[in-house]
Amino acid sequence: MNERDLRSQIADVKAGRLSRREFVQRMIAVGLTAPMAGAMLAHSGVAMAAEPIAYKPTKAGGGGPLKLLFWQAPTLLNPHFANGTKDQEACRLFYEPLAGWDADGNLVPILAAKIPSKENGLLGADGLSVTWKLKQGVKWHDGKPFTADDVIFNWEYSVNPDTAAVSIGSYRGIKSAEKIDDHTVKLTFKQPTPFWADAFVAAYGPVIPKHLFADYIGGKSREAPANLKPVGTGPYVYVDFKPGDSISAKRNPDYHQENRPYFDTVEVKGGGDAVSAARAVLQTGEYDYAYNLQVEDEILTKLEAGGQGKAQLTVTGHIEYIALNVTDPWTEVDGERASIKTKHPVFSDPAVRKAINLLIDRASVQKFIYGRAGVATPNFLNNPERFRSPNNKFEFNIDKANQILEEAGWKKNSSGIREKDGKPIKLVFQTSINAPRQKNQAIIKQAFQKAGIEVELKSVVASVFFSSDAANPDTYTHFYCDMEMYQTTMPQADPQFFMNQFTSWEVSNKENKWQGRNVSRWQNKEYDETYKQASSELDPVKRAALFIKLNDLVVQDNYILPEINRRNCIGLKNGMVANKSGWDNDLWQIANWYRET
């Protein structure tokens, strides 16, 4: 479909000649997702048409306990510091954004009274502003009113560099936040912003209370008692939290949605592993929900035969990938390892990176580990399909890898390890403790050995690996090793926030308490400039081309090695209705969860 056809069909929707549903279906047919189709219509002045969230209970409470199993245990409860999905999910019990994305790609109001659009006058035609009308009568869990002051404070809090918020990327594009009245906020952007539904929306949008965090903005941000004892507007109220272990919460009796929530209490249990979590829902029915079932498909199918629950898989943009360290993790400069002032002694040779890419057997990882839960890919940006690059292919070829290394001067020594200028290719490769990841490591190590590369495998407990603890050297954001593997999620239907993790201003370092999203420290001037251009390009066709270029720039340099486009796989006990969306956190509509009896 060319640009003229696209504009013509949008005009037909505006004129009533084509229904919104038909337009969305046509866009899906040519590779767009429902969320992107909906966003295009919204920008063109066609209001989103979200269906009411399915909910059968006629009163709040009465549902008994809700038991959630997070084998990667949450470690904090401040959404602005949640650099891992497990912590984002836990925060959604207590905190809420202004809006979230439903399964069909529509924005659904949560703390907002309505969704901005050109039609209702709340979305600027020039892409420079959006006005949010806030829901009235909402209270924080301590009884204080939720107002525009809280929204504005969250912008100020997140963009303060001393706060070291992981959410800064969603908010730094805002030029000003103006209080129109107690329940109206106007955001003005620094430049035309096609993806205006980023700040205050979905995973990085939950709002924290000004009256409890105002004294802890900037350098004191980590000292706030509410970091571990949340006071939000959400459906559940904090009772107890043991970081890395468990969370207890109870129903919010003053919740702002009528007849919600259904469950009286929530228990979040952390620890264990993905297989035991799957078993506890699918086979024994001990729990109602299990998070992120990174389990070999063969095992998952056997557990489903237990008859207590089912695995639910959703198409996403999530990517399991390997990052090669751009910096030297073994040398300390100005009190910091893996400093951007250093270069990796081995990976700085592009021939080594090219050879390593050829030693990753993606097809086998998909076939023997992930099955229906993942698709092998050479691309970092895979969905929506419109943004998927056709310019890259993956290949597994040990002979070719050996040839490249040999021609580049990396010769095998008496121990069979390749070296050059006295530097052997000896690498430390880390990931979190999880059976599929350890099997993935083993497959890679075997291929590396055949090419004369020595690898030491390191596995870190997930609650530590994905922690935001600035003092812990084993977190993935410190990246104190040569290679590491993990999944990065894409919790939005637009790739703008997802692709900011390779911009130079997002580099993870000591200065930002290792909260920057650019963990590999990969930097490229052309990437930065292209990203800025894509962030302000209002034409959807040109914008898609820019994001394809961004993907190609990063993957073709071979520091970032995509492996598997992951499906979001969760376990649900029979009878559970969970209002799932592939474009937001699993718990985005936890207020509307219930159990059919």
Side-chain angles (χ1 to χ4, degrees):
M1 178 180 295
N2 59 37
E3 185 176 346
R4 179 180 297 177
D5 291 338
L6 180 61
R7 300 192 192 286
S8 175
Q9 293 198 38
I10 291 175
D12 286 344
V13 176
K14 295 176 72 173
R17 294 187 294 270
L18 181 68
S19 73
R20 187 181 192 282
R21 183 180 295 273
E22 288 175 318
F23 174 82
V24 172
Q25 289 174 341
R26 290 184 184 184
M27 294 302 101
I28 292 173
V30 295
L32 216 63
T33 62
M36 280 305 301
M40 288 167 58
L41 289 177
H43 184 76
S44 300
V46 182
M48 292 193 179
E51 296 291 332
I53 298 294
Y55 188 73
K56 292 182 180 180
T58 57
K59 67 173 185 177
L66 174 63
K67 301 179 69 176
L68 311 178
L69 194 52
F70 282 72
W71 61 274
Q72 293 178 343
T75 55
L76 56 83
L77 294 175
N78 182 331
H80 289 288
F81 298 147
N83 61 13
T85 309
K86 61 185 176 56
D87 295 319
Q88 291 176 9
E89 296 286 4
C91 288
R92 294 299 277 270
L93 290 171
F94 309 105
Y95 293 113
E96 299 175 302
L98 301 189
W101 293 101
D102 73 7
D104 295 322
N106 296 295
L107 277 176
V108 176
I110 299 177
L111 288 177
K114 61 178 71 174
I115 297 300
S117 68
K118 291 182 180 178
E119 189 177 59
N120 61 26
L122 299 178
L123 187 60
D126 56 5
L128 288 172
S129 67
V130 60
T131 300
W132 287 97
K133 292 283 187 180
L134 308 180
K135 195 171 184 179
Q136 300 192 30
V138 179
K139 297 179 181 179
W140 296 101
H141 293 159
D142 60 6
K144 303 286 186 181
F146 163 72
T147 71
D149 292 325
D150 295 302
V151 175
I152 294 171
F153 169 75
N154 274 252
W155 166 60
E156 296 169 340
Y157 178 91
S158 63
V159 297
N160 185 321
D162 293 331
T163 300
V166 71
S167 57
I168 188 172
S170 292
Y171 294 87
R172 63 157 51 99
I174 298 172
K175 180 180 180 181
S176 65
E178 178 186 359
K179 178 181 176 181
I180 306 300
D181 57 44
D182 281 348
H183 294 93
T184 309
V185 177
K186 181 179 180 180
L187 306 179
T188 301
F189 302 108
K190 296 175 182 177
Q191 61 185 19
T193 302
F195 190 51
W196 54 269
D198 183 5
F200 302 107
V201 173
Y204 289 94
V207 181
I208 60 176
K210 177 180 180 179
H211 65 279
L212 294 180
F213 285 91
D215 292 337
Y216 298 95
I217 193 170
K220 297 177 64 178
S221 63
R222 298 289 168 155
E223 301 172 18
N227 285 341
L228 298 177
K229 296 182 178 180
V231 176
T233 60
Y236 294 99
V237 177
Y238 166 85
V239 173
D240 186 50
F241 176 41
K242 295 181 177 63
D245 182 20
S246 64
I247 302 172
S248 297
K250 62 182 180 181
R251 181 175 65 86
N252 178 3
D254 294 322
Y255 189 56
H256 56 86
Q257 290 192 61
E258 188 178 8
N259 298 329
R260 295 163 175 84
Y262 168 76
F263 294 99
D264 300 302
T265 61
V266 175
E267 172 196 334
V268 176
K269 181 60 180 173
D273 55 52
V275 174
S276 62
R279 181 178 294 111
V281 174
L282 309 179
Q283 189 177 66
T284 69
E286 182 183 356
Y287 282 83
D288 299 301
Y289 158 94
Y291 151 89
N292 187 21
L293 294 184
Q294 191 173 6
V295 178
E296 292 122 288
D297 196 29
E298 181 181 2
I299 296 174
L300 203 60
T301 301
K302 290 178 180 178
L303 293 175
E304 285 179 309
Q308 293 296 315
K310 288 290 184 182
Q312 288 195 1
L313 292 99
T314 309
V315 173
T316 71
H318 305 347
I319 184 74
E320 185 85 10
Y321 75 105
I322 296 166
L324 307 184
N325 206 330
V326 175
T327 63
D328 185 351
W330 312 112
T331 300
E332 187 173 295
V333 176
D334 298 331
E336 180 180 7
R337 288 169 57 187
S339 167
I340 56 174
K341 297 178 182 179
T342 64
K343 290 184 178 180
H344 195 279
V346 173
F347 297 149
S348 54
D349 184 344
V352 175
R353 304 197 303 272
K354 186 176 181 180
I356 285 177
N357 196 19
L358 288 165
L359 294 171
I360 299 172
D361 190 356
R362 294 166 174 86
S364 291
V365 171
Q366 176 186 335
K367 181 178 180 180
F368 297 111
I369 298 178
Y370 288 98
R372 57 184 159 144
V375 178
T377 178
N379 289 315
F380 192 85
L381 177 56
N382 288 275
N383 288 310
E385 189 176 343
R386 183 178 188 81
F387 299 105
R388 189 184 306 157
S389 173
N391 305 321
N392 305 297
K393 295 180 180 180
F394 61 80
E395 179 184 5
F396 176 59
N397 194 319
I398 295 175
D399 290 339
K400 187 182 291 188
N402 270 303
Q403 181 181 349
I404 289 171
L405 291 171
E406 190 73 24
E407 292 175 353
W410 294 91
K411 306 295 184 178
K412 290 185 177 181
N413 59 24
S414 58
S415 299
I417 306 301
R418 291 191 180 275
E419 63 176 40
K420 182 179 180 180
D421 300 328
K423 294 180 293 187
I425 309 183
K426 293 185 176 182
L427 309 172
V428 176
F429 178 21
Q430 74 175 10
T431 189
S432 63
I433 294 178
N434 169 258
R437 287 197 172 121
Q438 270 67 77
K439 289 187 177 182
N440 198 339
Q441 281 184 310
I443 290 173
I444 291 169
K445 180 175 182 176
Q446 185 178 40
F448 277 27
Q449 288 174 331
K450 294 178 180 178
I453 298 175
E454 183 176 312
V455 182
E456 175 188 337
L457 300 182
K458 179 180 178 181
S459 302
V460 183
V461 175
S463 60
V464 172
F465 189 70
F466 295 110
S467 167
S468 61
D469 184 358
N472 195 320
D474 284 332
T475 70
Y476 79 102
T477 56
H478 279 76
F479 202 177
Y480 286 173
C481 65
D482 302 294
M483 304 167 54
E484 66 180 5
M485 174 174 60
Y486 60 97
Q487 173 189 251
T488 188
T489 60
M490 184 178 174
Q492 300 162 329
D494 185 277
Q496 182 169 315
F497 184 81
F498 184 68
M499 296 302 287
N500 83 348
Q501 61 192 289
F502 300 114
T503 58
S504 61
W505 53 86
E506 282 287 343
V507 165
S508 178
N509 55 30
K510 183 179 179 181
E511 184 179 357
N512 58 32
K513 298 181 176 67
W514 293 277
Q515 295 301 291
R517 283 169 49 77
N518 187 344
V519 175
S520 71
R521 284 74 158 168
W522 183 84
Q523 297 180 75
N524 180 286
K525 184 178 179 180
E526 185 179 3
Y527 188 97
D528 285 350
E529 294 304 315
T530 304
Y531 182 86
K532 291 175 182 177
Q533 187 179 352
S535 299
S536 60
E537 179 56 67
L538 298 177
D539 186 297
V541 177
K542 294 178 181 178
R543 193 163 181 268
L546 289 169
F547 277 110
I548 288 173
K549 180 181 178 180
L550 289 172
N551 174 85
D552 292 350
L553 282 170
V554 70
V555 303
Q556 291 174 10
D557 203 21
N558 291 318
Y559 273 105
I560 303 301
L561 308 175
E563 264 202 313
I564 299 291
N565 173 209
R566 294 265 307 273
R567 301 296 186 250
N568 186 1
C569 182
I570 66 169
L572 280 181
K573 187 176 179 179
N574 293 339
M576 285 293 301
V577 179
N579 308 109
K580 187 77 168 53
S581 171
W583 305 109
D584 209 328
N585 294 130
D586 287 352
L587 306 190
W588 84 288
Q589 281 291 324
I590 188 69
N592 286 291
W593 284 29
Y594 65 95
R595 182 183 290 111
E596 291 185 325
T597 56

